[in-house]
Amino acid sequence: RDENEGKTMVKMRGFLLGLGGGAVGAALVVLVLVLVFNFGETKETVVQTPSQLPAAYAPGSQGLTPEQLYKTMSPGVVMIQSDFANTGTNLFGQPQSGQAIGTGFVVSKDGYILTNAHVVQDQGQKATSIAVVFNKGGSKTQQVKGQIMGVDTTSDVAVIKVDPSGVTLQPLALGDSSKVQVGENVVAIGNPLNY
Protein backbone atom coordinates (compact mmCIF):
# COMPACT_ATOMS: atom_id res chain seq x y z
CA ARG A 1 0.00 0.00 0.00
CA ASP A 2 2.80 2.44 0.83
CA GLU A 3 4.39 1.79 -2.56
CA ASN A 4 1.09 2.62 -4.33
CA GLU A 5 0.69 5.78 -2.26
CA GLY A 6 4.26 6.75 -3.13
CA LYS A 7 3.57 6.28 -6.85
CA THR A 8 0.39 8.31 -6.55
CA MET A 9 2.30 11.12 -4.84
CA VAL A 10 4.98 11.02 -7.53
CA LYS A 11 2.33 11.24 -10.24
CA MET A 12 0.55 14.08 -8.42
CA ARG A 13 3.83 15.95 -8.05
CA GLY A 14 4.53 15.35 -11.73
CA PHE A 15 1.06 16.65 -12.58
CA LEU A 16 1.60 19.87 -10.62
CA LEU A 17 5.08 20.38 -12.03
CA GLY A 18 3.68 19.74 -15.48
CA LEU A 19 1.09 22.47 -15.16
CA GLY A 20 3.86 24.97 -14.51
CA GLY A 21 6.16 23.37 -17.06
CA GLY A 22 3.43 23.52 -19.69
CA ALA A 23 3.46 27.29 -19.61
CA VAL A 24 7.24 27.38 -19.93
CA GLY A 25 7.17 24.74 -22.65
CA ALA A 26 4.82 26.83 -24.81
CA ALA A 27 7.83 28.71 -26.15
CA LEU A 28 9.17 25.41 -27.50
CA VAL A 29 5.85 24.40 -29.02
CA VAL A 30 6.62 25.86 -32.42
CA LEU A 31 9.89 23.90 -32.58
CA VAL A 32 8.15 20.67 -31.59
CA LEU A 33 5.38 21.23 -34.14
CA VAL A 34 7.90 21.92 -36.90
CA LEU A 35 9.76 18.71 -36.05
CA VAL A 36 6.58 16.63 -35.86
CA PHE A 37 4.92 18.04 -38.96
CA ASN A 38 7.99 18.15 -41.20
CA PHE A 39 9.90 15.00 -40.19
CA GLY A 40 9.83 12.94 -43.36
CA GLU A 41 6.82 14.77 -44.80
CA THR A 42 6.36 17.50 -47.35
CA LYS A 43 2.96 18.49 -46.00
CA GLU A 44 2.62 22.18 -45.12
CA THR A 45 1.09 23.06 -41.74
CA VAL A 46 -0.13 26.55 -40.98
CA VAL A 47 -0.02 27.80 -37.39
CA GLN A 48 -1.65 31.13 -36.63
CA THR A 49 0.73 33.85 -35.58
CA PRO A 50 -0.31 36.81 -33.45
CA SER A 51 -0.61 39.02 -36.55
CA GLN A 52 -3.33 36.66 -37.83
CA LEU A 53 -5.25 36.65 -34.55
CA PRO A 54 -8.42 38.67 -34.05
CA ALA A 55 -7.89 42.16 -32.63
CA ALA A 56 -9.20 41.00 -29.23
CA TYR A 57 -6.04 38.85 -28.84
CA ALA A 58 -3.54 41.46 -30.00
CA PRO A 59 -0.91 42.56 -27.45
CA GLY A 60 -2.01 45.74 -25.67
CA SER A 61 -5.71 45.27 -26.51
CA GLN A 62 -8.31 45.03 -23.77
CA GLY A 63 -9.03 41.51 -24.98
CA LEU A 64 -11.86 39.27 -23.86
CA THR A 65 -13.25 38.73 -20.39
CA PRO A 66 -12.50 35.35 -18.70
CA GLU A 67 -16.10 34.30 -19.42
CA GLN A 68 -15.73 35.17 -23.11
CA LEU A 69 -12.40 33.37 -23.26
CA TYR A 70 -13.96 30.25 -21.74
CA LYS A 71 -16.83 30.24 -24.24
CA THR A 72 -14.45 30.83 -27.14
CA MET A 73 -11.57 28.55 -26.15
CA SER A 74 -13.04 25.63 -24.18
CA PRO A 75 -14.06 23.61 -27.29
CA GLY A 76 -10.34 23.36 -28.12
CA VAL A 77 -9.35 22.11 -24.65
CA VAL A 78 -9.38 18.37 -23.96
CA MET A 79 -8.84 15.86 -21.17
CA ILE A 80 -6.28 13.14 -21.84
CA GLN A 81 -6.31 9.76 -20.13
CA SER A 82 -3.26 7.54 -20.61
CA ASP A 83 -2.98 3.89 -19.60
CA PHE A 84 0.36 2.28 -18.76
CA ALA A 85 1.10 -1.44 -18.62
CA ASN A 86 3.78 -3.02 -16.45
CA THR A 87 4.41 -0.11 -14.07
CA GLY A 88 5.98 -2.51 -11.60
CA THR A 89 4.86 -5.37 -9.42
CA ASN A 90 2.73 -5.54 -6.30
CA LEU A 91 3.66 -7.27 -3.04
CA PHE A 92 2.70 -10.62 -4.54
CA GLY A 93 4.91 -10.18 -7.62
CA GLN A 94 2.01 -9.60 -9.98
CA PRO A 95 2.41 -6.97 -12.70
CA GLN A 96 0.64 -3.67 -12.14
CA SER A 97 -0.71 -1.08 -14.51
CA GLY A 98 -1.19 2.65 -14.05
CA GLN A 99 -3.06 5.61 -15.40
CA ALA A 100 -2.32 9.30 -15.89
CA ILE A 101 -4.84 12.07 -16.46
CA GLY A 102 -3.98 15.49 -17.84
CA THR A 103 -5.09 18.24 -20.15
CA GLY A 104 -4.20 19.37 -23.64
CA PHE A 105 -5.40 21.57 -26.45
CA VAL A 106 -6.01 21.22 -30.18
CA VAL A 107 -3.40 22.96 -32.35
CA SER A 108 -4.52 21.95 -35.86
CA LYS A 109 -7.53 20.78 -37.85
CA ASP A 110 -5.44 17.72 -38.76
CA GLY A 111 -5.98 16.36 -35.22
CA TYR A 112 -2.74 17.38 -33.50
CA ILE A 113 -3.02 18.05 -29.77
CA LEU A 114 -0.41 19.50 -27.45
CA THR A 115 -0.07 18.15 -23.90
CA ASN A 116 2.58 17.53 -21.23
CA ALA A 117 5.11 14.74 -21.68
CA HIS A 118 4.43 13.33 -18.20
CA VAL A 119 0.81 12.68 -19.21
CA VAL A 120 1.83 10.22 -21.95
CA GLN A 121 5.20 8.96 -20.67
CA ASP A 122 6.20 7.77 -17.21
CA GLN A 123 9.82 7.02 -16.30
CA GLY A 124 10.72 6.43 -19.94
CA GLN A 125 7.72 4.21 -20.63
CA LYS A 126 5.19 5.50 -23.17
CA ALA A 127 1.49 4.97 -22.55
CA THR A 128 0.00 1.84 -24.10
CA SER A 129 -3.27 3.60 -24.91
CA ILE A 130 -4.50 7.20 -24.93
CA ALA A 131 -8.08 8.47 -24.78
CA VAL A 132 -8.82 12.09 -25.66
CA VAL A 133 -12.07 13.46 -24.21
CA PHE A 134 -13.75 16.45 -25.85
CA ASN A 135 -16.32 18.42 -23.84
CA LYS A 136 -19.44 18.91 -25.93
CA GLY A 137 -21.20 21.19 -23.46
CA GLY A 138 -22.60 20.46 -20.03
CA SER A 139 -22.05 16.81 -19.15
CA LYS A 140 -21.82 15.66 -22.80
CA THR A 141 -18.41 14.36 -23.88
CA GLN A 142 -16.88 12.57 -26.84
CA GLN A 143 -13.97 10.20 -26.35
CA VAL A 144 -11.60 9.29 -29.19
CA LYS A 145 -8.37 7.32 -29.42
CA GLY A 146 -5.10 9.26 -29.51
CA GLN A 147 -1.63 8.35 -30.75
CA ILE A 148 1.70 9.68 -29.45
CA MET A 149 3.53 11.57 -32.20
CA GLY A 150 6.42 13.06 -30.24
CA VAL A 151 7.65 13.56 -26.67
CA ASP A 152 10.19 16.03 -25.27
CA THR A 153 10.69 15.26 -21.57
CA THR A 154 13.17 18.13 -21.13
CA SER A 155 10.48 20.73 -21.80
CA ASP A 156 7.64 18.41 -20.64
CA VAL A 157 5.85 18.77 -23.99
CA ALA A 158 4.22 16.06 -26.08
CA VAL A 159 2.19 15.96 -29.27
CA ILE A 160 -0.57 13.43 -29.81
CA LYS A 161 -2.87 12.98 -32.78
CA VAL A 162 -6.49 11.98 -33.14
CA ASP A 163 -8.38 11.05 -36.29
CA PRO A 164 -10.00 14.34 -37.37
CA SER A 165 -13.00 12.59 -38.94
CA GLY A 166 -15.99 12.27 -36.66
CA VAL A 167 -14.88 14.92 -34.17
CA THR A 168 -15.16 18.70 -34.33
CA LEU A 169 -11.71 20.21 -33.85
CA GLN A 170 -11.29 23.83 -32.79
CA PRO A 171 -7.58 24.69 -32.83
CA LEU A 172 -6.37 27.27 -30.34
CA ALA A 173 -4.00 29.89 -31.71
CA LEU A 174 -0.42 29.87 -30.50
CA GLY A 175 0.95 33.20 -29.30
CA ASP A 176 4.38 34.76 -29.62
CA SER A 177 6.17 34.98 -26.27
CA SER A 178 8.46 37.72 -27.60
CA LYS A 179 5.45 40.05 -27.83
CA VAL A 180 4.22 39.52 -24.26
CA GLN A 181 4.76 42.44 -21.90
CA VAL A 182 5.24 42.24 -18.13
CA GLY A 183 1.97 43.12 -16.42
CA GLU A 184 -0.37 41.84 -19.15
CA ASN A 185 -3.29 39.72 -18.01
CA VAL A 186 -3.02 35.96 -18.37
CA VAL A 187 -5.78 33.35 -18.21
CA ALA A 188 -5.05 29.63 -17.86
CA ILE A 189 -7.58 27.07 -19.07
CA GLY A 190 -7.36 23.29 -18.83
CA ASN A 191 -9.39 20.13 -18.37
CA PRO A 192 -7.34 17.58 -16.43
CA LEU A 193 -10.31 16.03 -14.61
CA ASN A 194 -13.08 16.51 -17.20
CA TYR A 195 -14.46 19.60 -15.47
Side-chain angles (χ1 to χ4, degrees), residues 36-168:
V36 170
F37 292 132
N38 291 325
F39 188 74
E41 296 184 20
T42 58
K43 182 178 175 184
E44 181 183 49
T45 302
V46 177
V47 177
Q48 285 187 315
T49 62
S51 62
Q52 297 169 311
L53 298 176
Y57 303 111
S61 70
Q62 291 300 315
L64 302 174
T65 66
E67 294 84 3
Q68 291 168 324
L69 281 168
Y70 173 77
K71 285 182 182 178
T72 305
M73 302 299 169
S74 62
V77 178
V78 298
M79 180 182 84
I80 299 168
Q81 180 177 320
S82 302
D83 293 315
F84 296 88
N86 302 324
T87 59
T89 57
N90 63 18
L91 296 174
F92 304 104
Q94 298 170 328
Q96 291 181 321
S97 59
Q99 190 175 70
I101 296 176
T103 188
F105 62 95
V106 179
V107 293
S108 82
K109 290 271 190 189
D110 296 332
Y112 290 96
I113 295 171
L114 194 63
T115 188
N116 294 110
H118 69 267
V119 174
V120 298
Q121 185 170 306
D122 183 32
Q123 298 177 8
Q125 178 185 351
K126 288 187 179 178
T128 53
S129 69
I130 296 173
V132 178
V133 181
F134 291 83
N135 187 329
K136 297 298 183 181
S139 61
K140 296 178 186 174
T141 61
Q142 180 180 7
Q143 181 173 312
V144 296
K145 183 178 178 182
Q147 177 183 0
I148 300 171
M149 301 304 292
V151 176
D152 182 358
T153 55
T154 303
S155 60
D156 196 26
V157 175
V159 177
I160 59 177
K161 187 175 188 309
V162 297
D163 182 356
S165 61
V167 64
T168 303

Side-chain angles (χ1 to χ4, degrees), residues 21-32 114 155 157 174-178:
V24 173
L28 298 173
V29 168
V30 175
L31 175 62
V32 172
L114 194 63
S155 60
V157 175
L174 299 176
D176 183 345
S177 60
S178 70

